[in-house]
Amino acid sequence: MTPRIPVSVDLVVLTVRFAELCALVWRRDRPPYAGRWALSGGFIHLDEDLPAAAARVLAERAGLPGAPVHLEQLRTYGYPDRDPRQRVLSVAYLGLAPDLPASTEAHMSWRPLTELSEMAFDHRRIMLDGIERARSKLEYTSLGAAFCPPAFTVAELRRVYEIVWGRTLDPRNFHRKVTKAEGFLMPTGHSTTRDGGRPAMLYRRGPAELLRPPMMRPAKDVVRL
Amino acid sequence: MTPRIPVSVDLVVLTVRFAELCALVWRRDRPPYAGRWALSGGFIHLDEDLPAAAARVLAERAGLPGAPVHLEQLRTYGYPDRDPRQRVLSVAYLGLAPDLPASTEAHMSWRPLTELSEMAFDHRRIMLDGIERARSKLEYTSLGAAFCPPAFTVAELRRVYEIVWGRTLDPRNFHRKVTKAEGFLMPTGHSTTRDGGRPAMLYRRGPAELLRPPMMRPAKDVVRL
DNA sequence: AAAATAGTGTCTATTAGACAATATGCG
DNA sequence: CGCATATTGTCTAATAGACACTATTTT
């Protein structure tokens, strides 16, 4: 007889708003961990693929149906006591989103990391793993643009990097790096003054997914979480 | 009622032998997929942590108890039809091992990739994901040494890189890179002539896990699998 | 000595890091 | 104009890629 285990999908959905890295969470209203912040999650259905379950949780539980969120599998958490009621295996997904309104209907809200020191279950560990994945993916992929609106300026992209990495970056060197990286940015032909000052060119995400050579975080930030 | 699913752990254990990248596999002797190569795996026990399950499968099913194998979680595969008998969720682990004898008792053998074009279930996809993980980890970590014996020469480490990446590397530039990388190699004070020619210094793995800046694969190999 | 492999050095191209100067909007 | 931000450019340091040379063993 093979042991069978309940399996859930939990989502670490990150965005950048008000110059802070925020996660999409809700406040539990019943035990266990009543009053603590929790990631959105749900049990997978018996005939459901994992990416489909993640998309469903994003739409139904996280309240972001159809939103342009980059979703990728993060890792699986299976420590037997992670849920005190019963053993639950959790396949965590990482979502990177532009600054979208949180669904009040789904009781979700964006909270900066500083407010999330106490979370339900092992959700803080999962969230920290997601943040570290996001930080390292900005180094060697073009995923930083997933935090931006469809058309964005180089400075807006730079602020994403600065906030996710927690370091200021030289605007001129950053500009050189991303505009010279083949396929990272596609000019839209338009510009905007929404950031003040001289109008900035607007770009869309290009087809390139990898950044070669990578843009390394300044060494100070390489410390483990 | 929450749906419960059987969960297995499958192991992609890789090594370098006879100048080839090899995976540890066994030949299935019953349906489904009778006669095909399969990864070692097993169902997780009800009270067992995932790393513990992976270690147990490595010892009992893969026949490598106590062997110095680097194990890390790879990813989770959950497509409903991946096992035709019943839905099984598989948490895959990647193992990197030195050239160890395969256990005949466990009916395991090391097979080069070229022999593994047809495998049971989705094991080829899992194995390819493991290989891609290994290839990319060689770029930015010191894990190449996990394929080597406890004491090894720079040339032996270089051959690991060459075989895993499928590219020849310049011996002098490689030597400079790894010997100047802080904490990658620790001199043992001994040397060996087992590779012929002038005696080579023997090193042990150093404490560093990350290689900064990374050693990038030549661009030709960056293509997706 | 010849062959084989290890290890060091040198030159150059590329890239990152620091920083100056110019451009173009707005109030 | 004066201010804010964008964009281009320049100089320098670090690193990678290409390649020559010397060192130390075995046969």
Side-chain angles (χ1 to χ4, degrees), chain A residues 170 172-173 176-177 193 197-199 213-216:
Chain A
D170 184 277
R172 300 153 292 190
N173 294 339
R176 177 182 60 195
K177 178 73 183 178
T193 59
R198 172 176 170 179
M215 172 165 29
M216 304 298 282

Side-chain angles (χ1 to χ4, degrees), chain B residues 149-153 156 191-203:
Chain B
F152 55 90
T153 69
E156 288 162 356
S191 61
T192 181
T193 59
R194 64 192 178 207
D195 297 323
R198 171 176 169 179
M201 295 289 300
L202 281 167
Y203 296 89

Side-chain angles (χ1 to χ4, degrees), chain B residues 146-194:
Chain B
F147 288 112
C148 296
F152 55 90
T153 69
V154 172
E156 288 162 356
L157 181 63
R158 174 169 50 82
R159 279 188 277 277
V160 164
Y161 273 80
E162 291 178 331
I163 289 160
V164 174
W165 284 350
R167 306 271 304 160
T168 58
L169 299 173
D170 184 277
R172 299 152 294 186
N173 294 338
F174 182 87
H175 191 282
R176 177 181 61 195
K177 179 73 182 176
V178 297
T179 54
K180 292 214 173 142
E182 187 87 18
F184 196 156
L185 301 179
M186 307 287 287
T188 62
H190 302 111
S191 61
T192 181
T193 59
R194 64 192 178 207

Side-chain angles (χ1 to χ4, degrees), chain A residues 101-148:
Chain A
S103 160
T104 52
E105 189 191 354
H107 301 289
M108 303 300 299
S109 64
W110 295 109
R111 294 290 156 179
L113 299 198
T114 48
E115 291 184 29
L116 297 174
S117 52
E118 303 248 304
M119 294 182 77
F121 309 106
D122 52 357
H123 286 190
R124 178 158 170 90
R125 162 100 326 259
I126 299 175
M127 187 188 68
L128 291 176
D129 287 348
I131 290 169
E132 178 51 31
R133 171 79 65 90
R135 285 183 172 152
S136 83
K137 279 226 155 181
L138 290 202
E139 292 191 321
Y140 63 94
T141 72
S142 60
L143 275 178
F147 287 112
C148 297

